[in-house]
Amino acid sequence: MVMDVAGVLDRMRGVQAGLPDGDGVAVFNRVYVAVTEEVRRRLAAGGFADRAVAGELAVRFAGRYLAAVADDAAGRRPPACWRPLFVMRAHPGVRPLQFALAGINAHVGHDLALAVVDTCQATGRAPTGLEADFDRVGEALTAIEEEVRELLMPGPDLLEAADPLTHLVGSWSLARARDAAWAAARLLWALRGTDDAREECVSRLDAGVGLIGRLLLTPVGGGRQSSGSMTGAMSS
């Protein structure tokens, strides 16, 4: 493992420092810093079945997001799952919650499955040997996602119930995305050694998650809620 969780956090904070506050990637990056800090706290508290394997998974998971950021910054094409967020990052009709969920969708829907397989290969374990810690990482993601939804879309009240954003983000579920990621990881593991089939599976997974990302980033108007309150709340 080239980096540890502290090194991942340093790189994410470096990404944050180079982006304007309202940038869509900055919105997701801020969320991901909070997730990674929570994972680090749980690692330190012994909250994982195997601390070394859980740390490996966390770093390999984060590394795929950081690679997509680096690809975009260098003018290379990131994976299809990340392209909607990079393309729409400055659109005035897309709200902060949409950016946050689109990033979570790309990272969980695509990157998590591949990170599980990477970790299995690095540690010599089958996916079943990672399942307990996969679930614990998922618990950290769920806790932060609930906080993000509350901070960026409080309510609902009568007006919010009619808001297109309410219907749009209500159609996406982190729990379902996590379940799909686990199923994809098990399939990719079963396909190891069959390069053509594995690559086709990865490509189709990437494209499918990218399609969901485009839907999550459908402009709904209404202006942008400031992400400053989220910054303060999530860093406290």
Side-chain angles (χ1 to χ4, degrees), residues 5-234:
V5 175
V8 164
L9 278 167
D10 286 344
R11 286 190 60 186
M12 289 181 188
R13 289 174 181 138
V15 170
Q16 198 71 37
L19 297 174
D21 188 57
D23 180 276
V25 177
V27 173
F28 168 71
N29 192 84
R30 190 177 299 113
V31 171
Y32 199 18
V33 167
V35 170
T36 308
E37 287 174 339
E38 178 63 20
V39 169
R40 184 173 66 171
R41 283 193 290 270
R42 295 185 185 203
L43 283 168
F48 290 91
D50 188 316
R51 180 176 177 177
V53 171
E56 184 86 27
L57 175 59
V59 170
R60 290 182 179 276
F61 187 29
R64 288 190 168 272
Y65 160 65
L66 292 168
V69 170
D71 284 343
D72 181 71
R76 299 185 296 266
R77 282 169 65 84
C81 61
W82 285 107
R83 287 177 214 153
L85 180 59
F86 290 123
V87 169
M88 299 293 285
R89 63 195 299 169
H91 196 294
V94 178
R95 301 193 205 173
L97 179 58
Q98 292 175 262
F99 289 131
L101 293 185
I104 296 171
N105 169 69
H107 202 34
V108 172
H110 174 265
D111 294 354
L112 183 54
L114 298 182
V116 168
V117 174
D118 292 343
T119 303
C120 288
Q121 292 172 335
T123 61
R125 298 186 179 212
T128 51
L130 274 68
E131 188 169 7
D133 286 329
F134 175 94
D135 289 340
R136 288 174 172 85
V137 170
E139 289 167 6
L141 283 164
T142 298
I144 299 300
E145 189 232 9
E146 290 172 353
E147 183 179 355
V148 168
R149 286 181 182 263
E150 182 177 344
L151 288 168
L152 295 185
M153 194 177 73
D157 58 23
L158 291 177
L159 289 176
E160 288 165 343
D163 191 324
L165 179 63
T166 304
H167 300 282
L168 183 65
V169 302
S171 65
W172 186 83
S173 163
L174 176 58
R176 289 196 296 269
R178 282 172 49 196
D179 289 347
W182 181 249
R186 294 185 64 187
L187 175 59
L188 291 172
W189 183 251
L191 290 174
R192 66 193 186 282
T194 59
D195 291 346
D196 289 347
R198 184 184 183 281
E199 288 306 311
E200 181 177 359
C201 183
V202 170
S203 177
R204 290 182 182 275
L205 176 66
D206 189 20
V209 173
L211 175 60
I212 296 170
R214 290 197 295 276
L215 294 173
L216 285 171
L217 292 169
T218 300
V220 296
R224 291 194 185 179
Q225 176 180 330
S226 170
S227 58
S229 59
M230 183 179 75
T231 306
M234 297 190 77

